Amino acid sequence: MLKRKRPQTFDRLRRCAFWHAGIVALFAVILSGCTELQQPKVEPFYAETVPPPKQELRWSNGKTPSSLDPAFAAAAPETDIIRAAYEGLTELDNKSLRETPGVAERWESSPDLKTWKFFIRKDAQWSNGESLKASDFVASWKRLLALREKAANKHLFQNIVGMRSKAADDETELPIDFLQHTPPENTVSGKNLSEIELLPKSQISLPLDPAKQQPIQSENKPQASTNAPKFGVEAIDDHTLVVNLILPDKDFPKLVSNPIFRPVYKAGTGLEPIGIDSATVTNGAFKVTKVGDEGVSLERSDNYWNAKAVALERLRFVAAKSAEIALDSYKKGDIDVITNASFEPLALKILTPYEDFRRTTHSALNFYAFNETKAPFNDRRVREAMAIAIDRAKLTEGDLEGMNQPAFSFFPLGEARKETLTLDTVKAKQLLEKAGFPDGEGFPAVRLVINRNDIQQRVAKSVARMWKQNLNIDTLIEIKEAGEIEEIRKTGDYDLIRSGVVLPANDELVNIESVLGSAEKTTVAVSPETTGENERVNETDDQALLNVEPQESIKDDPAVEQRKESSGVLTEADVMYELKIIPLYFPKSYALIKPYVLGFEMNALDAHSLKEVSIDNNWRTKVR
């Protein structure tokens, strides 16, 4: 039988198919090689250098410090060095930011949280070997009172009896704008500390059985009483310090860990006017040995009560004029840690993949404050609607280029109702309708006042678009200079105004006062009409809160239950319920930390304790 001959066309197609398959395979190999060339494997660390031969930490934390006096320590680099050279009654755990024993080995409070008693270690010493006593804290805090307006973060000690300034009583202190704020000048008051009268011991009697650990009884008297203490801080004996507060503060042991509360030798004698030098006597784990334009050097203090537990022998705080200079020194191996550096967005993107690059949420808040004296912003339903009509995730990833954390709650360190202010357009529209503005009908154009800043202008425009899209309300953005902003804030000529505050303590009461001006609770009563406008009266009866009928939008809200349980002082749950402000975002802070540096932790307060830090001198990069 004759075989049927295949058409030549079929053979040509088969050869063509084989040829095309080969070409495709070749291109695949070439493309694979190109991909490897275009996307090289990222090294694990931005800078791999040999660790220092000794237990020495070289830290770049900003420019040359303007002062190293605890009274003027508002932010880094000053606060970093103060924490190393001085120790407070308490310290903060690097990770959890919970209070831990410092100079005080333990403490107790009265049931009303207005009186605190701290027990000073008997082996606590100054760097010159002299014993540190409770009276050193009394003298140091009297010095803060004498400095008054010149002291940094003066709002931190306003709740201590006898330390509230007259200005704080007369008017509400404005928040500290972290975009405009600068540390106080390194000047001191010429007032004689002896002019401030000491509190007689007879005015405070706080019996305590240490064995039974019973709460002490508060001896606070009403402020109007002639027997009220003139200064609410007293040394009962060499090792017992008693502090009386105006408002109850459950977080007071956390508050006194702040650098401003650290004791200074002989009430600061020798600190003025330069702030500190190599002869300055301190009480911390390290003592100052050298001060110059290039930075500050410290060595481990042999007289520190827990010196045996401190691994580092020496600290070098290296001043850097710019983030670029610090980054270059880090790359070369001249420094081991970089913090407090203003990296450009492009630099942050380049650094992000590396393991020695760290980031964390910073304890600061950017927000819009309502003018509650004006309708319709005196209706909390309107305030809540506007707050939850903002897509914070989109805001931070877009306009803020991922360099900030969305503020879904009031505080970055808060524990109350996380992720409360997520975007909810359905509920926002319902709230606005119940407030009398269905689909935004009849709602006045919102006057939003912001400062002249490119980022804030982009943020304001985005928020305005979200309010228009989600609530159908218009916004008029007014851009003002810093001086004009403060005047407008005082006169109340706005609907909403942008603010930014740094929260230097992990203390709920103090942080609320920093933002709202006061942490004293007021009763929020709902008028019988359907307008839902709030009427505020002074809180005179704790039962008043229990008698308030909540608006429909907040019935069965767990935050309301938390509000009922508290009395006298606002909590974060109260603030989240009332929404007098709209939290927008928390800034982030960044650091570069060499892999051989052990125990250096990032946290929201930038409160770095070096007592747990050590250098792995034998660290070597693994061969890959």
Side-chain angles (χ1 to χ4, degrees), residues 458-510:
R458 294 203 304 269
V459 169
K461 290 177 182 178
S462 292
V463 170
R465 284 195 297 269
M466 294 174 188
W467 283 338
K468 181 63 176 179
Q469 178 180 348
N470 299 329
L471 297 177
N472 194 32
I473 60 178
D474 296 315
T475 305
L476 301 176
I477 301 174
E478 298 184 10
I479 303 171
K480 303 293 183 179
E481 302 297 336
E484 296 176 293
I485 288 271
E486 297 309 316
E487 185 62 29
I488 291 172
R489 199 192 309 273
K490 291 178 181 178
T491 60
D493 187 21
Y494 64 91
D495 295 334
L496 284 98
I497 190 167
R498 193 213 74 85
S499 292
V501 294
V502 173
L503 306 169
N506 190 12
D507 183 299
E508 187 174 80
L509 180 146
V510 171

Side-chain angles (χ1 to χ4, degrees), residues 146-157:
L147 291 172
R148 292 188 181 275
E149 301 302 314
K150 295 179 181 179
N153 293 328
K154 59 184 180 296
H155 61 289
L156 296 184
F157 54 79

Side-chain angles (χ1 to χ4, degrees), residues 25-47:
L26 180 61
F27 270 107
V29 172
I30 294 174
L31 288 175
S32 176
C34 290
T35 302
E36 291 182 0
L37 290 174
Q38 293 175 355
Q39 299 178 353
K41 184 178 180 181
V42 177
E43 296 296 327
F45 306 111
Y46 177 73

Side-chain angles (χ1 to χ4, degrees), residues 526-545:
V526 182
S527 60
E529 293 79 11
T530 57
T531 58
E533 293 184 358
N534 297 338
E535 298 176 356
R536 296 184 297 164
V537 296
N538 290 331
E539 176 82 41
T540 56
D541 186 356
D542 292 343
Q543 188 65 26
L545 275 180

Side-chain angles (χ1 to χ4, degrees), residues 212-440:
K212 296 182 180 180
Q213 295 292 298
Q214 296 296 322
I216 58 180
Q217 299 300 315
S218 172
E219 289 292 329
N220 276 340
K221 302 292 192 300
Q223 284 185 280
S225 172
T226 57
N227 295 324
K230 294 182 180 180
F231 189 71
V233 185
E234 184 193 11
I236 298 297
D237 54 44
D238 285 348
H239 304 290
T240 311
L241 183 74
V242 175
V243 184
N244 282 277
L245 306 179
I246 300 170
L247 297 175
D249 185 0
K250 63 181 177 60
D251 295 326
F252 189 66
K254 295 179 182 177
L255 178 64
V256 294
S257 69
N258 187 275
I260 197 173
F261 291 104
R262 312 216 166 186
V264 291
Y265 185 65
K266 291 186 177 181
T269 302
L271 285 179
E272 305 91 347
I274 59 174
I276 200 170
D277 62 17
S278 58
T280 300
V281 178
T282 61
N283 76 307
F286 302 90
K287 61 180 180 180
V288 180
T289 57
K290 184 179 179 181
V291 178
D293 293 338
E294 70 282 359
V296 180
S297 296
L298 299 88
E299 292 181 359
R300 184 173 57 202
S301 174
D302 294 333
N303 290 318
Y304 176 60
W305 65 269
N306 199 24
K308 293 181 179 179
V310 180
L312 290 175
E313 300 171 357
R314 188 182 182 192
L315 301 174
R316 284 180 52 206
F317 290 92
V318 183
K321 295 182 179 180
S322 67
E324 292 74 18
I325 294 175
L327 202 58
D328 183 60
S329 297
Y330 182 86
K331 187 75 172 179
K332 293 177 179 177
D334 295 332
I335 56 178
D336 311 306
V337 174
I338 298 178
T339 62
N340 192 37
S342 300
F343 293 117
E344 296 295 331
L346 179 58
L348 292 175
K349 291 179 180 179
I350 294 174
L351 293 171
T352 295
Y354 296 104
E355 294 179 18
D356 49 344
F357 177 69
R358 314 280 180 84
R359 66 176 68 195
T360 190
T361 302
H362 185 49
S363 184
L365 173 66
N366 190 93
F367 62 93
Y368 291 157
F370 284 103
N371 186 344
E372 293 180 273
T373 66
K374 300 174 64 175
F377 310 106
N378 57 350
D379 187 335
R380 78 160 300 281
R381 295 174 298 188
V382 169
R383 300 196 297 270
E384 183 180 359
M386 296 180 69
I388 63 177
I390 298 174
D391 188 344
R392 290 164 176 78
K394 183 177 180 180
L395 192 69
T396 54
E397 291 301 321
D399 297 285
L400 300 173
E401 302 183 57
M403 293 188 293
N404 297 274
Q405 182 74 23
F408 295 116
S409 58
F410 189 69
F411 294 136
L413 299 174
E415 299 177 355
R417 303 181 67 206
K418 294 292 185 182
E419 303 270 323
T420 301
L421 297 177
T422 53
L423 176 66
D424 191 338
T425 56
V426 174
K427 183 179 180 181
K429 291 178 180 179
Q430 292 173 348
L431 286 169
L432 204 62
E433 182 176 356
K434 290 176 182 178
F437 304 99
D439 194 31

